[in-house]
Amino acid sequence: MGIIAKNTEQLMESSIEGTMPGVGSFRCQECGHTLTVNPPVSEAPRQCPNCSSNELVRASLFSTTRFTRGTPPNAGDESDEQPTWIESARAQIAEPGEYLAYEEDGAIKLVALTREWTRVGRSLAADVRFDDPTVSRRHALIVRQADGVRVLDDRSLNGVFVNGERVEWRVLSDRDEILVGRHRLTFISDTVGAAPAPAPSELQAAT
């Protein structure tokens, strides 16, 4: 055991001493992306090719990052309580059905889930598109079937989270929160819909 430990220590020291500046593996502290730089180079990379962050550190067995694959990128940044605009989104619903609601640039977006497959991602082909480097081109799929609505991770880099838990797939219930990159979507299952406006004859009868 002593010989193995000594040899391991010598190999590590040799590796560290022989490392050229700007050469080796680097990890992005924002999204966790790892990139390898090979010689010849003149300096270390300045920007993450995945999310454009400048917070790159040399990857090692002993380094830690703020991003972990099992934790949402912005976990703990917001309250567990649902935002107040959810009720406003629900009030916009005119017909019973399933919907995705989210806030973007101060506006409430409501997407009716009418097809079997709804794609969420950064791609121009996505049905729900977020032009954001924390979102993969093909990030998540919302699948409507007779036995319920599911969300599936479509091989995304940063994962899909439902109510704070990373999932490969999950059957959705009303008010479940889906995290895609930095974006939070709420699943709404409305079996009633907004009450129809009364007809003019009904209004006259009431008066």
Side-chain angles (χ1 to χ4, degrees):
M1 287 295 293
I3 295 175
I4 294 175
K6 185 175 181 180
N7 289 341
T8 302
E9 183 178 353
Q10 290 175 345
L11 286 172
M12 290 176 62
E13 290 177 354
S14 175
S15 175
I16 294 172
E17 291 173 358
T19 299
M20 295 172 56
V23 176
S25 295
F26 294 82
R27 183 182 299 276
C28 175
Q29 288 188 297
E30 289 296 327
C31 71
H33 181 74
T34 301
L35 61 151
T36 301
V37 179
N38 298 314
V41 293
S42 58
E43 57 183 8
R46 297 181 179 180
Q47 194 173 68
C48 173
N50 181 60
C51 71
S52 301
S53 170
N54 296 323
E55 297 191 31
L56 297 178
V57 295
R58 187 177 294 280
S60 74
L61 293 174
F62 308 103
S63 65
T64 58
T65 65
R66 291 179 296 176
F67 178 86
T68 58
R69 298 288 292 181
T71 306
N74 52 354
D77 292 347
E78 300 186 19
S79 169
D80 291 336
E81 297 181 0
Q82 287 198 321
T84 56
W85 57 260
I86 295 299
E87 293 307 321
S88 298
R90 192 182 291 273
Q92 297 179 17
I93 296 175
E95 297 181 2
E98 292 86 24
Y99 298 82
L100 287 179
Y102 60 97
E103 193 174 24
E104 186 176 55
D105 298 328
I108 299 173
K109 305 287 187 179
L110 193 64
V111 179
L113 302 175
T114 58
R115 295 185 294 177
E116 182 178 1
W117 298 86
T118 300
R119 296 173 176 83
V120 181
R122 198 174 77 246
S123 168
L124 293 174
D127 302 299
V128 179
R129 181 174 182 265
F130 297 107
D131 188 12
D132 187 322
T134 66
V135 178
S136 297
R137 294 183 182 278
R138 296 172 54 182
H139 202 112
L141 290 170
I142 309 295
V143 184
R144 291 179 70 245
Q145 294 180 327
D147 58 346
V149 180
R150 293 172 172 79
V151 59
L152 285 73
D153 187 341
D154 195 13
R155 297 172 293 178
S156 67
L157 176 65
N158 290 334
V160 173
F161 296 81
V162 176
N163 300 330
E165 179 184 354
R166 183 167 184 172
V167 299
E168 293 298 324
W169 67 274
R170 175 70 58 86
V171 176
L172 295 173
S173 300
D174 185 46
R175 292 180 176 271
D176 277 349
E177 183 182 74
I178 306 166
L179 184 66
V180 174
R182 296 190 182 98
H183 302 272
R184 296 175 183 269
L185 305 93
T186 299
F187 173 71
I188 297 177
S189 179
D190 192 299
T191 58
V192 179
S201 59
E202 295 176 352
L203 290 173
Q204 291 176 0
T207 58

